[in-house]
Amino acid sequence: MERKVVAVCAVVGFLGVLSAALGFAAEATRVKVSDVQTSGTPGECIYPRTPALALGLISAVSLMLAQSIINTVAGCICCKRHPVPSDTNWSVALISFIISWCTFIIAFLLLLTGAALNDQRGEENMYFGSFCYVVKPGVFSGGAVLALASVALAIVYYVALSSSKGPPPTFATPQNHGIAMGQPVIPQQSSEPVFVHEDTYNRRQQVP
């Protein structure tokens, strides 16, 4: 495997693990029902400060960077035309590319939604005048799992695309394998006069 492929996979893998770890950390530090208190004023909720907002945002940004890097280096598979459609690596790359983007979109939305809904601090009005809203459990952790899956599939896509077979090499086939046919070469006769010695001429005359 080329050094470029290893380096890209290492960077993207690190960002994916970082995104998942931050997502689980946001899940652990999110505002829970037991953390919310009601003030003396009716209809108000008091939310504590938690790092879940920052953790969720950084997790989403890390995931977006990982997806951007892998797709920038590998390129969009939909824009390429592979000369060998029956190649197994090409099929694996196409399936991994599609699933990776689906999981990325869901994970990114979950992380952003969890961070936005968790951004409640101080006194807030009760929803519908009867309860205090908190982020449901599993939003951040679900986004973390999908983020890890998205990055893993993106790496599979990139490796499979890099090792995909190219067009078969073409070699020049020699022409004229049979016996060459041609006309015999007859030397041209010279039209210039030929000089013969006198003794030679006399001898030819004496020969019967």
Side-chain angles (χ1 to χ4, degrees):
M1 188 179 296
E2 298 180 359
R3 294 183 178 179
K4 177 183 176 182
V5 177
V6 175
V8 172
C9 292
V11 173
V12 172
F14 171 76
L15 290 175
V17 173
L18 178 63
S19 176
L22 293 175
F24 287 119
E27 178 69 23
T29 58
R30 66 179 178 83
V31 177
K32 303 175 182 62
V33 177
S34 58
D35 299 331
V36 182
Q37 300 177 357
T38 56
S39 62
T41 305
E44 289 187 351
C45 304
I46 301 177
Y47 292 92
R49 291 178 177 271
T50 64
L53 171 63
L55 293 174
L57 289 178
I58 298 175
S59 177
V61 171
S62 300
L63 176 61
M64 183 177 62
L65 286 176
Q67 193 76 5
S68 300
I69 291 174
I70 202 75
N71 283 275
T72 301
V73 176
C76 180
I77 196 173
C78 300
C79 304
K80 298 180 180 180
R81 184 178 180 181
H82 193 60
V84 186
S86 59
D87 187 5
T88 304
N89 291 329
W90 180 264
S91 302
V92 172
L94 180 60
I95 296 173
S96 301
F97 175 80
I98 296 174
I99 301 177
S100 174
W101 268 104
C102 293
T103 53
F104 164 74
I105 294 174
I106 298 174
F108 190 74
L109 292 178
L110 285 176
L111 293 172
L112 285 184
T113 302
L117 294 177
N118 202 80
D119 185 26
Q120 302 183 80
R121 51 186 179 273
E123 296 183 357
E124 298 287 346
N125 294 327
M126 288 186 178
Y127 288 84
F128 302 106
S130 59
F131 62 92
C132 302
Y133 184 83
V134 294
V135 179
K136 293 182 178 181
V139 175
F140 285 111
S141 58
V145 172
L146 290 176
L148 196 60
S150 174
V151 172
L153 289 170
I155 292 176
V156 172
Y157 153 67
Y158 178 50
V159 173
L161 189 63
S162 300
S163 59
S164 179
K165 296 180 180 179
T170 56
F171 299 95
T173 56
Q175 303 293 331
N176 299 330
H177 292 283
I179 302 175
M181 303 297 292
Q183 298 292 334
V185 179
I186 302 175
Q188 296 181 357
Q189 297 180 355
S190 176
S191 59
E192 297 180 358
V194 178
F195 297 94
V196 181
H197 195 270
E198 182 178 358
D199 295 337
T200 304
Y201 178 75
N202 294 332
R203 290 176 184 176
R204 290 183 179 179
Q205 292 294 334
Q206 295 174 0
V207 174

